[in-house]
Amino acid sequence: MADDSPASHRRDPIKSSVGNVAAQRRRQNAVTVGKERRESLVRAKRLCRVGPSGDGDVPGEENDMVTDEEGFLLDAQTSSAVEDLKSAIAYQGKGAMQKRVNALRELRRLLSKSEFPPVKAALKAGAIPLLVQCLSFGSPDEQLLEAAWCLTNIAAGKPEETKALLPALPLLISHLGEKSSLPVAEQCAWALGNVAGEGEELRNVLLSQGALPPLARMMLPNKGSTVRTAAWALSNLIKGPDPKAATELIKVDVLLDAILRHLRKSDEELATEVAWVVVYLSALSNFATGVLVKSDAILLLVERLATSNSLQLLIPVLRSLGNLVAGDSHTTSTVLIPGHEITDGVIKVLVKCLKSDHRVLKKEASWVLSNIAAGSIEHKRLIYSSEAVPLLLRLLSTAPFDIRKEVAYVLGNLCVTPTGGDGKPNLIEEHLVSLVQRGCLSGFIDLVRSADIEAARVGLQFMELVLRGMPNGDGPKLVEQEDGIDAMERYQFHENEDLRNMANGLVDKYFGENYGIDE
């Protein structure tokens, strides 16, 4: 199989040796963002407390914590409910169907009662084979819905509990089809989304069993909750690290049109789920990135960033925009043309994010800007003359470390053009002098002192620009005034050969035995 993973979700850094590191880190970010969603944004696995149509009969409880005594009682009730279901399935007399539905409803009620459902008790009592029976074709919708709901909450449990659904997966997938009612299809999609959220092994099982195409087709209607559930399940299903699923998804007929329609028209909650699909498509598949870039996706993402204040929506929208802009240098040059309205719009929304109080938005916006700053001289001038630069300079000295590192890439990239024949980047002296005069050098030297290898390398690279490029040979004095010599000498015996050679080479060249003799 051809390698479709993005060769460069990338910013060409101020020296090209770091390029692969930045690209690899970006892909890892895309693959591991599930943890971020689970903890702070949108959980990778979701308990179903109220049914897809909002008609659940589980009362809201002010406190979902269960005492030990209540837990024992709930387990006992669950075991009893499974036995009742077993009896109901075996019963063939008058009212058999309603008896099964009532038994399923009681089990579902118990599995939905608290934030910590009695999954273990249900599995131990033998619930899975019974629920699989209740998913059989020809069963009434009410029975299918209750069974799928039970399986959804079992799949929201611990890893080994989620894996217990393996026998049910083919039937859950089959009920995603067009012949199923929307509530049943949506509940099955919810169950499959929980299974996909468990990890790569179960995602691969679902993909091999054909879950992706019917989930993709569920993106087409305008029914909000159905599309929302399908989009969430799809983002769990394609989130890597293999790009094959993302590529397969974007090839599904009219899927792109559905994504664009929902980004343009949908409420923020639905647009958030769709934006997460775009995050994984653009992070993992070059093919998908190319398709999205040729569409109105960037324009719609920019419009969402400009008009929304929802953090839940802004994060995936900003990350999607960053992935698309970082696809390759051709994308940056052909889509973001200085002077065009869309380009001005991108810079404005990134400035908005830099001003945000939320660190994730600041970090993501800085990363997007670093990719634009790695483009043509026109792109560098566009950022340099914008409101972004004073904000970036302030962040370099005051922001948390991870943001400062991203900001350093932006400012560094503003000062150089592509590498010359000697392997060193060519300087944009006007930008370098201005940024140094505005106090950025101390921020880069602080990065050199850090334990982070990538940050230290960027700091050393910028120091090299200052030492080499400041007019009148002022570079060494400026570096010395900020205790830069001390920062570099820390690498005299460093275990990283690249950093050791870089730092020692700069000290020898600019602060060797002849340094200061003229004075």
Side-chain angles (χ1 to χ4, degrees):
M1 185 189 77
D3 180 15
D4 186 49
S5 61
S8 56
H9 269 130
R10 74 185 187 95
R11 54 188 170 203
D12 291 331
I14 56 178
K15 278 190 178 177
S16 58
S17 59
V18 191
N20 291 334
V21 175
Q24 181 183 10
R25 190 161 62 86
R26 198 61 200 168
R27 288 195 295 275
Q28 288 172 343
N29 182 291
V31 173
T32 59
V33 74
K35 180 174 183 290
E36 207 174 287
R37 296 180 74 181
R38 182 181 293 113
E39 292 178 351
S40 62
L41 294 169
V42 188
R43 294 194 318 178
K45 292 166 71 173
R46 300 175 179 173
L47 195 65
C48 182
R49 305 293 294 281
V50 178
S53 58
D55 59 355
D57 56 8
V58 179
E61 300 185 18
E62 292 183 9
N63 188 353
D64 282 327
M65 298 303 292
V66 177
T67 65
D68 287 345
E69 186 177 347
E70 291 170 333
F72 289 133
L73 177 60
L74 192 55
D75 285 350
Q77 291 172 330
T78 302
S79 299
S80 177
V82 173
E83 289 300 320
D84 290 345
L85 177 59
K86 189 181 299 182
S87 300
I89 290 174
Y91 179 71
Q92 298 297 322
K94 185 179 179 181
M97 184 192 78
Q98 192 58 48
K99 192 176 178 70
R100 284 197 304 274
V101 170
N102 290 341
L104 281 167
R105 184 177 291 124
E106 176 60 16
L107 178 59
R108 179 264 294 171
R109 189 185 68 80
L110 294 167
L111 287 169
S112 308
K113 194 171 184 180
S114 81
E115 198 62 34
F116 305 97
V119 173
K120 187 175 180 180
L123 294 178
K124 188 175 180 181
I128 295 294
L130 301 175
L131 294 170
V132 171
Q133 276 185 265
C134 292
L135 286 176
S136 60
F137 282 101
S139 301
D141 280 356
E142 195 175 8
Q143 177 177 313
L144 294 172
L145 184 62
E146 294 289 354
W149 190 338
C150 290
L151 289 166
T152 297
N153 285 355
I154 292 173
K158 298 174 181 176
E160 63 276 11
E161 295 167 348
T162 306
K163 287 182 180 179
L165 261 72
L166 280 170
L169 298 184
L171 280 168
L172 287 169
I173 293 170
S174 67
H175 285 302
L176 299 176
E178 296 173 359
K179 294 181 179 178
S180 300
S181 69
L182 273 182
V184 169
E186 183 177 340
Q187 192 63 64
C188 290
W190 193 332
L192 293 170
N194 276 343
V195 174
E198 186 50 59
E200 185 180 358
E201 180 185 350
L202 287 175
R203 283 199 293 273
N204 289 338
V205 171
L206 290 172
L207 290 168
S208 69
Q209 293 184 358
L212 191 143
L215 277 174
R217 286 192 289 272
M218 289 178 66
M219 291 279 289
L220 305 184
N222 286 320
K223 187 174 186 300
S225 67
T226 302
V227 178
R228 196 163 56 239
T229 301
W232 166 74
L234 279 170
S235 66
N236 272 353
L237 190 59
I238 68 170
K239 64 184 178 186
D242 191 332
K244 184 178 178 181
T247 301
E248 183 182 341
L249 177 59
I250 200 67
K251 290 180 178 179
V252 173
D253 191 33
V254 302
L255 186 278
L256 177 63
D257 290 341
I259 287 176
L260 298 178
R261 186 174 77 252
H262 296 312
L263 283 178
R264 181 182 287 111
K265 295 182 177 180
S266 297
D267 61 79
E268 291 196 333
E269 191 177 356
L270 174 51
T272 298
E273 298 294 2
V274 174
W276 277 113
V277 175
V278 178
V279 168
Y280 294 115
L281 286 171
S282 57
L284 295 166
S285 168
N286 275 342
F287 181 84
T289 300
V291 171
L292 288 163
V293 162
K294 292 172 185 174
S295 71
D296 289 336
I298 290 180
L299 179 63
L300 296 173
L301 292 168
V302 170
E303 288 176 355
R304 282 289 186 175
L305 273 176
T307 57
S308 175
N309 290 313
S310 165
L311 183 64
Q312 308 301 63
L313 175 59
L314 289 176
I315 288 175
V317 166
L318 181 56
R319 193 165 287 171
S320 296
L321 180 63
N323 287 343
L324 294 174
V325 170
D328 54 50
S329 56
H330 173 74
T331 300
T332 309
S333 299
T334 55
V335 177
L336 298 182
I337 303 171
H340 282 214
E341 184 177 350
I342 187 172
T343 307
D344 294 339
V346 168
I347 300 299
K348 285 179 182 177
V349 295
L350 294 176
V351 167
K352 170 188 171 180
C353 293
L354 289 178
K355 291 179 176 178
S356 164
D357 291 332
H358 199 279
R359 62 183 293 158
V360 175
L361 293 183
K362 291 178 182 176
K363 181 179 177 180
E364 293 289 332
S366 300
W367 179 76
V368 180
L369 282 167
S370 71
N371 279 300
I372 301 173
S376 67
I377 186 74
E378 289 79 13
H379 288 103
K380 297 172 192 291
R381 287 174 178 155
L382 181 70
I383 296 174
Y384 178 77
S385 61
S386 75
E387 192 183 349
V389 168
L391 295 170
L392 292 166
L393 287 167
R394 186 162 70 248
L395 289 172
L396 184 65
S397 60
T398 62
F401 177 80
D402 57 339
I403 297 175
R404 287 190 284 125
K405 185 164 72 170
E406 297 292 344
V407 167
Y409 271 107
V410 189
L411 297 175
N413 281 341
L414 291 179
C415 296
V416 293
T417 58
T419 306
D422 59 357
K424 294 180 179 178
N426 297 313
L427 289 163
I428 304 175
E429 185 176 302
E430 175 193 355
H431 292 184
L432 177 68
V433 171
S434 171
L435 293 176
V436 170
Q437 287 177 344
R438 292 157 81 176
C440 78
L441 180 57
S442 61
F444 280 96
I445 292 176
D446 282 343
L447 293 180
V448 174
R449 294 191 180 98
S450 76
D452 185 286
I453 297 298
E454 184 185 351
R457 183 181 280 110
V458 175
L460 285 170
Q461 289 170 348
F462 190 83
M463 287 173 70
E464 190 275 333
L465 299 181
V466 172
L467 291 167
R468 169 163 60 97
M470 290 299 287
N472 306 316
D474 286 344
K477 289 181 184 177
L478 293 171
V479 169
E480 184 180 21
Q481 287 170 5
E482 298 291 345
D483 289 332
I485 301 175
D486 175 70
M488 288 187 287
E489 285 182 338
R490 297 182 182 202
Y491 291 88
Q492 187 172 2
F493 303 106
H494 197 273
E495 60 186 17
N496 185 289
E497 185 178 3
D498 285 346
L499 293 186
R500 186 173 68 244
N501 291 341
M502 194 187 310
N504 289 342
L506 291 176
V507 171
D508 290 345
K509 181 174 181 178
Y510 293 100
F511 304 98
E513 56 187 29
N514 294 325
Y515 176 67
I517 284 180
D518 292 344
E519 296 178 6

